[in-house]
Amino acid sequence: MSNTHLDLRNRYALFSALEDEVFDLLIIGAGITGCGIARDAAMRGLRVALIDAGDIGAGTSGRSSKLIHGGSRYMAQGDLTVVRQAANERKVLRRIAPHLSLTNPMVIPARSKIQVQGIKAFIWSYEKLGNVEKPERHQVWSKKRLQREEPLVRAADFAGAVVFPEYLTDDARLTLGNARSAFGAGAVVVTYAAAREIIQEGSRVTGAVVESTLPRDERMARVRARIVINAAGPWVDTIRLMEDSGAGKKLQLTKGIHVVMSRDRVPITRTIIMYAPDGRGLFVVPRGSYVYFGTTDTFYPRAEYWPEITHEDIDYLLNTAMAYLDVAPFKDGDIVALWSGLRPLLGEEGKKPSEISRRDEIMESAGGLLSVAGGKLTSYRAMAEKIVDRCEKLLNRAHVHSLTAEEPLTGGDFSGTFEALCSRIERCGLSPQEAERAALLYGSEALAIFEHEKGPSAEVHHAVQAEGALTLEDYWVRRSARARFDDEGGLADLEATADLMGRLLGWTDSEKARQVLSCREIRADELRHILTRE
């Protein structure tokens, strides 16, 4: 595997690299779509520049439900293409990133035997359509088995359950893995670099003016490219308007929030699927020492980095869970963390948020700007392959076979089972719980990361020197997931972490203090509604 150590500290060299050549592709947006396209294109030999106004995976791609699912829910919408593609891409991800596609059995309790049969028939149809292999097919549990396997479920209210496997991932790490793979294949990757202007020569789009968004870094670059791809997620329409002020709105944003609690408070073994009073499917997912509830799906008017979390959002999830789980009533104090994100969906007049298709679409403007909208995390790789195929034709370039379905992502190049990897990581001196967490986040790289050093210190060194982290938030939220899945949101380690990052990144004392304050404010804002509820 090529060198994928992504060190983004030399801003002078990065901005110089953006101006040094005419790229085949300039990709605006380092979410899963942009990073997936960059990886595929660079692996085919195209010259690629990938930029983002913030960090890799900092928007939608780091705020999902962290599930790789085969798309069974989209059968009800008639999106059979999405179902087939998602089912196939699930298999691909298991092959190229086994640490980021952990088997995650989903339990659907049914209130009657007739409902059990109905769910069974639905899942059976999905399995046939998606060509699901026999070991991955569903099981039917009796009432007694449901009670034995998941005693927290109110078995008295249910006649049994249907159980089928999906995959658990870490979305921010999956996005990062694609960015690092793109870099390893030759792409120029620059974060905290916002597109401020679309450059046009005559009637054609030929690049973008890029400006640094880091404090006290006033660098700019004029990036030239044969094709510019707008993969800005919720900000796709914003980039479209830079080229054409008359461009109509294409996106319909919806908001999803998630609630995190200790697994001691909700001791489940598998994901439990629940249905809200409005018929929407919700879930509670175990992850290490924690569980999280998700997800809402409501229209949201603005493209914001931190969408607002309300009392209504939280109550919608937890009230539904109370109808399924035999636990004491939830209190705000049970909540360990919260996160919210926006889905950049293609607008469909008259449809409810959950009814809007997750199908992706490529829009080409008169000037040649390619804007990508819609899509879903599970199918990102296939979507990227389709886009790069199109770019090859636009560039009059001979077709090169995509390698992204075979080449492992960083950390995914280990043999044997995930459990065996965890055992090897334990021998570095980590507890079983720490080893499982490390295996999920880092895959095979964990063996080197923790060989001589443990805890946040080892993670910070790796985050800065190999994973492109430039701010404390980059490490705390996306590289380590401590903001969501650690005691008190990992706040106790922020000062020490900032000291270490400061040495690696050359921060002054005032900058270290600003970085810590920024993270504390993020957490305070996410928890604001539960801390102020009367």
Side-chain angles (χ1 to χ4, degrees):
M1 182 178 289
S2 57
N3 177 25
T4 61
H5 276 53
L6 182 63
D7 187 336
L8 299 181
R9 286 177 287 181
N10 190 337
R11 302 285 284 178
Y12 171 80
L14 290 171
F15 274 74
S16 294
L18 288 176
E19 290 198 317
D20 279 350
E21 62 181 297
V22 178
F23 293 93
D24 293 313
L25 304 184
L26 167 61
I27 302 165
I28 301 172
I32 192 63
T33 299
C35 291
I37 296 169
R39 177 180 185 240
D40 192 312
M43 288 175 70
R44 296 197 210 185
L46 295 175
R47 288 298 296 147
V48 177
L50 173 66
I51 64 169
D52 196 286
D55 184 30
I56 296 162
T60 299
S61 298
R63 317 287 185 87
S64 78
S65 298
K66 309 185 190 304
L67 298 172
I68 299 297
H69 58 84
S72 56
R73 60 177 290 196
Y74 303 117
M75 281 185 63
Q77 300 174 1
D79 269 343
L80 302 187
T81 299
V82 172
V83 173
R84 286 194 190 95
Q85 187 180 76
N88 181 66
E89 287 303 306
R90 227 174 42 138
K91 300 173 190 174
V92 171
L93 189 59
R94 171 57 66 90
R95 184 166 60 247
I96 66 174
H99 61 303
L100 292 172
S101 50
L102 303 182
T103 299
N104 175 44
M106 294 194 167
V107 180
I108 309 179
R111 296 190 182 276
S112 67
K113 290 184 178 179
I114 292 176
Q115 191 178 39
V116 169
Q117 293 305 312
I119 297 171
K120 177 183 175 181
F122 182 81
I123 297 298
W124 181 88
S125 298
Y126 154 70
E127 290 169 345
K128 290 295 183 183
L129 184 65
N131 195 26
V132 174
E133 297 173 2
K134 192 171 182 179
E136 299 260 301
R137 293 177 190 168
H138 72 277
Q139 299 178 354
V140 176
W141 285 358
S142 66
K143 183 187 191 80
K144 286 184 178 179
R145 186 170 181 188
L146 174 60
Q147 194 164 28
R148 182 174 71 250
E149 299 280 358
E150 292 292 347
L152 207 65
V153 174
R154 296 182 183 273
D157 296 338
F158 299 99
V162 178
V163 184
F164 65 101
E166 295 283 22
Y167 297 157
L168 177 69
T169 194
D170 185 293
D171 48 5
R173 302 288 313 183
L174 178 61
T175 305
L176 175 65
N178 276 270
R180 291 181 62 190
S181 178
F183 169 76
V188 175
V189 179
V190 187
T191 58
Y192 294 95
R196 298 301 190 197
E197 177 187 339
I198 297 297
I199 300 171
Q200 299 183 69
E201 296 180 8
S203 60
R204 297 297 298 172
V205 170
T206 58
V209 176
V210 177
E211 180 183 27
S212 174
T213 59
L214 288 178
R216 293 175 294 282
D217 182 7
E218 299 179 355
R219 301 176 207 278
M220 298 188 72
R222 290 180 66 87
V223 189
R224 296 164 297 159
R226 295 178 177 87
I227 297 175
V228 178
I229 298 178
N230 170 16
W235 294 272
V236 157
D237 282 342
T238 301
I239 301 298
R240 291 176 61 245
L241 286 168
M242 287 184 188
E243 180 206 5
D244 178 6
S245 60
K249 179 181 176 182
K250 290 289 187 178
L251 295 188
Q252 176 65 70
L253 304 179
T254 72
K255 180 185 71 172
I257 79 132
H258 296 78
V259 176
V260 184
M261 291 187 186
S262 168
R263 199 163 169 181
D264 291 337
R265 180 68 173 88
V266 188
I268 58 172
T269 304
R270 304 162 186 83
T271 293
I272 310 299
I273 304 297
M274 310 168 292
Y275 290 92
D278 62 4
R280 176 171 168 74
L282 309 179
F283 49 76
V284 53
V285 182
R287 172 169 163 160
S289 301
Y290 300 89
V291 300
Y292 58 93
F293 301 79
T295 174
T296 59
D297 199 1
T298 54
F299 289 126
Y300 201 76
R302 301 171 302 280
E304 293 180 343
Y305 188 57
W306 300 106
E308 182 184 23
I309 298 171
T310 67
H311 298 313
E312 291 76 16
D313 294 327
I314 297 167
D315 291 344
Y316 174 78
L317 296 178
L318 298 188
N319 289 342
T320 297
M322 287 299 304
Y324 279 77
L325 304 178
D326 188 12
V327 293
F330 292 125
K331 299 178 181 178
D332 288 344
D334 295 324
I335 297 175
V336 172
L338 297 156
W339 79 82
S340 64
L342 296 177
R343 303 175 187 88
L345 305 178
L346 289 161
E348 294 186 52
E349 198 68 34
K351 287 196 173 184
K352 298 177 181 178
S354 297
E355 295 173 343
I356 297 177
S357 172
R358 269 52 175 173
R359 192 184 301 267
D360 60 89
E361 182 176 318
I362 307 169
M363 299 169 283
E364 183 172 359
S365 72
L369 177 70
L370 296 183
S371 296
V372 188
K376 56 198 294 292
L377 183 71
T378 301
S379 303
Y380 84 89
R381 193 209 62 83
M383 178 168 59
E385 182 177 334
K386 178 175 66 176
I387 292 167
V388 178
D389 285 347
R390 179 166 176 169
C391 289
E392 285 183 327
K393 293 178 181 178
L394 292 172
L395 292 167
N396 293 316
R397 188 176 186 270
H399 176 63
V400 176
H401 174 68
S402 174
L403 300 173
T404 57
E406 289 85 31
E407 182 74 22
L409 286 175
T410 304
D413 56 344
F414 59 91
S415 58
T417 65
F418 179 80
E419 291 73 21
L421 176 63
C422 290
S423 296
R424 293 173 63 195
I425 296 171
E426 280 186 56
R427 292 198 284 274
C428 294
L430 276 65
S431 70
Q433 293 78 16
E434 291 169 336
E436 181 181 353
R437 171 185 172 275
L440 171 63
L441 296 180
Y442 304 106
S444 60
E445 284 195 306
L447 296 167
I449 294 170
F450 300 104
E451 183 179 8
H452 302 296
E453 198 174 6
K454 309 296 181 287
S457 177
E459 296 172 0
V460 166
H461 275 103
H462 187 69
V464 173
Q465 295 170 344
E467 297 182 338
L470 293 176
T471 72
L472 186 58
E473 179 197 319
D474 294 350
Y475 163 75
W476 177 62
V477 175
R478 289 172 291 279
R479 305 302 186 275
S480 70
R482 291 188 181 277
R484 314 291 182 224
F485 303 103
D486 200 359
D487 293 341
E488 298 295 327
L491 293 182
D493 292 320
L494 281 183
E495 298 281 355
T497 301
D499 284 339
L500 178 53
M501 288 194 78
R503 290 196 293 274
L504 293 170
L505 289 159
W507 292 343
T508 62
D509 288 344
S510 62
E511 179 60 18
K512 284 189 289 187
R514 189 190 71 80
Q515 293 278 341
V516 171
L517 178 61
S518 174
C519 290
R520 291 187 180 278
E521 288 178 340
I522 289 169
R523 180 168 171 83
D525 192 57
E526 288 181 332
L527 296 176
R528 176 166 52 92
H529 283 285
I530 66 170
L531 295 175
T532 59
R533 194 196 297 250
E534 296 180 357

